[in-house]
Amino acid sequence: MLDAAMGIEYLHHGHITPIVHCDLKPANILLDEDMVAHVGDFGISKILAVSKSMAYTETLGTLGYIAPEYGSEVIVSTNGDVYSYGIMLMEVLTKRRPTDEDICNENLDMRKWITQSFSGTMLDVVDGNLFPEEEKSLQKVKYALPQ
């Protein structure tokens, strides 16, 4: 995820004119033979004019990864890519897709689902396979001890 973030940073700030990908999702993050992530598929990307930080468009990204302003106001900005990156990061940490049935059936997006599921400890939301059992026990003890 760090390599993808650096690629997004380069698109947004590595040129005089920012490039907005507009469709960041796991399928558009490619891994090379060394498992280094690269941002790919620039089919609907936009180049923002030098004096503008946002643009209007009729092109949308992929459901579940689209920033709210893309759908309601059709505004393209680097903020939309940051939102999509955040959704991908949540997907990695929770091992859930933003279009999973239990999320979509409750008319939630990934961000709202995490907010509703979060009860004070990240272990309630994060995929249990990310941490070894002894780390989980230490985290529970840490939260149980008074600060």
Side-chain angles (χ1 to χ4, degrees), residues 92-123:
V92 167
L93 294 174
T94 62
K95 199 175 177 182
R96 295 177 153 251
R97 298 178 84 56
T99 54
D100 278 356
E101 275 186 42
D102 56 338
I103 295 171
C104 292
N105 284 347
E106 296 180 33
N107 290 326
L108 299 172
D109 60 28
M110 180 73 104
R111 190 174 49 93
K112 290 178 185 170
W113 176 79
I114 286 177
T115 302
Q116 286 186 0
S117 301
F118 186 70
S119 64
T121 174
M122 286 301 292
L123 296 175

Side-chain angles (χ1 to χ4, degrees), residues 1-137:
M1 291 304 294
L2 290 176
D3 294 330
M6 288 189 305
I8 296 163
E9 173 77 13
Y10 179 74
L11 291 174
H12 294 175
H13 303 287
H15 306 280
I16 294 171
T17 55
I19 299 170
V20 182
H21 190 279
C22 297
D23 196 22
L24 286 172
K25 60 184 177 182
N28 290 339
I29 304 297
L30 310 173
L31 298 175
D32 67 16
E33 63 276 354
D34 297 320
M35 298 299 285
V36 175
H38 301 274
V39 179
D41 191 355
F42 292 88
I44 64 171
S45 64
K46 305 288 182 223
I47 299 174
L48 299 180
V50 176
S51 62
K52 295 186 178 182
S53 62
M54 66 179 73
Y56 294 92
T57 185
E58 293 180 14
T59 307
L60 296 176
T62 303
L63 186 64
Y65 301 94
I66 304 170
E69 62 269 19
Y70 278 21
S72 61
E73 301 170 16
V74 200
I75 295 175
V76 172
S77 74
T78 55
N79 293 342
D81 283 353
V82 173
Y83 179 90
S84 299
Y85 175 79
I87 296 296
M88 287 192 309
L89 186 58
M90 286 186 245
E91 185 175 357
V92 167
L93 294 174
T94 62
K95 199 175 177 182
R96 295 177 153 251
R97 298 178 84 56
T99 54
D100 278 356
E101 275 186 42
D102 56 338
I103 295 171
C104 292
N105 284 347
E106 296 180 33
N107 290 326
L108 299 172
D109 60 28
M110 180 73 104
R111 190 174 49 93
K112 290 178 185 170
W113 176 79
I114 286 177
T115 302
Q116 286 186 0
S117 301
F118 186 70
S119 64
T121 174
M122 286 301 292
L123 296 175
D124 293 341
V125 180
V126 173
D127 175 30
N129 295 319
L130 286 178
F131 301 105
E133 282 301 316
E134 57 274 0
E135 245 185 82
K136 290 180 195 175
S137 322

